[in-house]
Amino acid sequence: MSILRRILGGGEGERSEDGPDWIDLGDQRGELPEGALPLRASGGGLRLVGESHYREAIAAVAGGRRRQSVKLVTWASLVPEPENPYDTNAVGAYIDGHKVGHLSRQDAAAFAPVLARITAAGLTAYARADIFGGWDRGPSDRGDYGITVYASPADEQARMLDRRLDGKSARDVAATTPAMRAGRKQGPGMVRGRPHSDWHPEVKRLADLGDDSAAEALLLEICDATEIEAAFEGFGVAPAAYERLAVMYRRQGNRAAEIAILERFAAQPHAPGAMPSKLGERLERLRAQTD
């Protein structure tokens, strides 16, 4: 059984005597309050720490303890705690007014300048938060909650604030953002010495500068590396670079190039998800328009 399934107290389809071992409470994010600034949420999640100190608060957010584990999506506010005696960069996470944990020391240090800017503007940072776990089947069988918040890396958040707080254009932000330097790593999936997924912010910077030629060249390198990595690892290709190229060609009115990149993607093994079908449907529409 995977770590996640152990945290959740079972897996989908597994049942206890009293019903499913976990229940999905769905996406309960509503409208954000006045003064909220949602963080950009692309990229991986940040696991909160210290949830075990806030069990009852999290249980209240999740609607009380149950025999089953829960899965719940909501909003969490991230609040700097400069007076924290253990870490002046500490960041507390709050849901519905309940404190539910902290960012790790490393993540708090990275996000401190971003959150300071947001706080100085009289706003509060909010991020998507996924709560899971927390079953209670008696004194000897209780599970803690886990919480993951979703926020792009701090440097991406800073560029977002340049636009939203300082009114800079995308081109202004890109012009003051240094180009990503090549790395030294080698092997399947590497582009210019870095993992191919690391280069998407640089693609965006080039596109914001209006340098479509350089952005296209980098995206094609990412496609090459994605296919090599997928063949080596035996899994499906990541669709992001193909989709971005298709959008670029569509904006340029280059239908032949758009069809070609979509056909290239269609010929690859695909990971599960909605994106492959989305791009496949786009390809079929273009082919129909061309016939």
Side-chain angles (χ1 to χ4, degrees):
M1 183 179 290
S2 69
I3 293 174
L4 178 58
R5 290 175 68 189
R6 287 200 297 271
I7 292 172
L8 292 175
E12 186 171 8
E14 296 184 14
R15 303 182 68 86
S16 68
E17 294 179 359
D18 297 321
D21 282 337
W22 61 264
I23 54 176
D24 190 345
L25 300 179
D27 191 337
Q28 298 189 16
R29 287 176 294 176
E31 291 187 9
L32 288 170
E34 185 176 354
L37 191 152
L39 296 177
R40 189 183 299 277
S42 61
L46 310 174
R47 275 297 305 273
L48 295 188
V49 298
E51 299 103 320
S52 61
H53 298 292
Y54 305 101
R55 293 184 181 106
E56 298 313 311
I58 302 172
V61 169
R65 287 278 190 172
R66 299 171 173 81
R67 286 186 58 82
Q68 305 99 326
S69 298
V70 300
K71 293 192 293 185
L72 167 66
V73 179
T74 185
W75 289 111
S77 58
L78 301 180
V79 180
E81 298 179 345
E83 304 302 320
N84 188 297
Y86 302 104
D87 182 7
T88 56
N89 287 324
V91 176
Y94 293 78
I95 298 175
D96 294 339
H98 299 278
K99 189 172 185 177
V100 296
H102 290 90
L103 292 185
S104 70
R105 185 178 290 267
Q106 181 179 356
D107 290 334
F111 276 82
V114 170
L115 296 175
R117 287 182 66 184
I118 294 172
T119 301
L123 303 171
T124 302
Y126 276 76
R128 168 181 167 162
D130 288 16
I131 301 174
F132 49 90
W135 71 89
D136 187 350
R137 300 175 189 132
S140 63
D141 189 8
R142 289 176 177 157
D144 276 334
Y145 292 96
I147 302 178
T148 299
V149 296
Y150 290 88
S152 303
D155 57 346
E156 290 187 35
Q157 306 292 348
R159 291 193 289 273
M160 179 267 289
L161 295 181
D162 286 340
R163 298 187 64 183
R164 298 183 67 172
L165 296 183
D166 300 339
K168 294 181 180 179
S169 68
R171 182 181 287 270
D172 291 336
V173 174
T176 57
T177 301
M180 182 176 286
R181 293 183 179 180
R184 296 182 178 180
K185 295 182 180 180
Q186 297 180 351
M190 295 298 145
V191 171
R192 304 178 190 177
R194 292 177 178 269
H196 62 78
S197 58
D198 287 359
W199 288 99
H200 287 284
E202 176 66 5
V203 170
K204 184 179 187 307
R205 187 189 74 86
L206 292 169
D208 288 343
L209 285 172
D211 192 347
D212 281 358
S213 178
E216 178 187 13
L218 181 53
L219 283 167
L220 289 171
E221 287 185 54
I222 294 172
C223 289
D224 291 340
T226 299
E227 292 167 12
I228 293 171
E229 180 185 45
F232 182 81
E233 299 288 349
F235 53 56
V237 299
Y242 301 89
E243 183 190 25
R244 197 151 201 167
L245 280 166
V247 171
M248 178 185 296
Y249 295 141
R250 188 184 318 160
R251 188 177 66 246
Q252 296 171 350
N254 190 341
R255 179 174 293 184
E258 184 180 359
I259 290 175
I261 195 62
L262 291 174
E263 287 179 335
R264 177 175 175 177
F265 175 71
Q268 305 304 317
H270 300 148
M275 187 61 71
S277 61
K278 176 183 174 184
L279 295 183
E281 290 168 2
R282 175 63 187 170
L283 176 58
E284 292 306 314
R285 287 197 298 271
L286 284 169
R287 284 171 170 168
Q289 293 169 8
T290 304
D291 291 343

